Amino acid sequence: MTTLIACSHGTDSGAGRATIVRLVEMVRELLPGVRVVQAFVDVQTPAIRDVVVEESTEDDVVVVPLLLSAGHHTAVDIAEAIAGHPGARRTEPLGSHPLVAHVLATRLRAAVSGSWRAGDRVVLAAAGSSDPVAAVDVDTAAEHLRALIPAPVSVGYVSTMRPRIADAVAGARLEGAGRVIAASHLLAPGFFAGLVHEAGADVVSAPLGADPRIAQVIVERFRTA
């Protein structure tokens, strides 16, 4: 039996931690008989490197990044953690899967109370990464979202990459938006979610959260590893 290591970023937010715990519990419910353990690349413990060492002594392991785009954490932290362990492998992150866009669309509909306006513009608010390959996954998520909602979608980043969310929000207004809605392309509440709220959008959707569809994506990544 192969162990699933659910590797998230880590957060100081109690609400964020609880969200990830619940999401991992959902994955366990979908994979009875599979050992599912948590690991982190930052802030929290146990660290991904330590978990891979411990778990790979007993079993093959698949690391599923509970992250929404490729970047430094996948290319360096997780890649280095599995290096030298022949029975360890990693999957793609979650964000490019079409189901993620469906969850985003659900959060947006809730944020606007199901009522879209003719002048609405959506800014997909992503974390950002020092690795430019992250933009490919974010652009894919934006393209999926465009097919699901009746408003134009642009992209803004919380950190590192450009345009920053506040600039993307201002740009949407300059282009004539009547209402700018920030779509939180984040898994859980935390520091980055707070920055999205401070970026000047008229409406901000909730993070993706512990949604059964996100758990389904994690299971699919695991099964196809």
Side-chain angles (χ1 to χ4, degrees):
M1 184 66 68
T2 301
T3 295
L4 189 164
I5 301 177
C7 183
S8 55
H9 183 277
T11 178
D12 288 324
S13 165
R17 292 185 180 199
T19 297
I20 298 301
V21 166
R22 178 58 188 139
L23 182 59
V24 173
E25 288 174 352
M26 289 179 171
V27 173
R28 291 192 179 106
E29 292 165 5
L30 292 172
L31 291 171
V34 174
R35 178 169 167 79
V36 180
V37 298
Q38 284 190 263
F40 305 92
V41 294
D42 200 2
V43 184
Q44 291 179 249
T45 58
I48 181 60
R49 184 186 298 273
D50 297 334
V51 175
V52 170
V53 168
E54 180 177 353
E55 297 297 330
S56 62
T57 61
E58 302 291 335
D59 206 349
D60 289 346
V61 301
V62 171
V63 179
V64 181
L66 305 194
L67 304 167
L68 294 174
S69 64
H72 181 84
H73 292 310
T74 56
V76 178
D77 297 322
I78 295 175
E80 289 183 351
I82 66 173
H85 298 280
R89 53 200 186 277
R90 62 184 169 117
T91 75
E92 297 177 39
L94 311 179
S96 61
H97 195 289
L99 272 180
V100 172
H102 282 269
V103 181
L104 275 168
T106 299
R107 300 291 176 265
L108 284 167
R109 284 193 294 271
V112 300
S113 302
S115 180
W116 292 96
R117 301 175 185 172
D120 283 346
R121 291 284 301 269
V122 170
V123 174
L124 183 67
S129 171
S130 58
D131 189 338
V133 75
V136 176
D137 287 341
V138 175
D139 287 344
T140 298
E143 193 60 33
H144 290 321
L145 184 60
R146 289 184 185 106
L148 299 174
I149 64 172
V153 178
S154 57
V155 172
Y157 295 95
V158 174
S159 69
T160 309
M161 304 177 78
R162 297 190 183 279
R164 296 296 174 85
I165 296 168
D167 294 333
V169 168
R173 288 207 173 94
L174 285 174
E175 292 173 3
R179 180 173 64 170
V180 181
I181 305 152
S184 296
H185 189 51
L186 304 167
L187 268 184
F191 179 68
F192 276 12
L195 293 180
V196 174
H197 275 276
E198 296 170 4
D202 300 300
V203 178
V204 179
S205 69
L208 298 169
D211 189 284
R213 291 165 291 184
I214 302 298
Q216 184 178 336
V217 174
I218 296 168
V219 169
E220 185 175 318
R221 292 286 196 248
F222 172 73
R223 285 177 169 162
T224 58

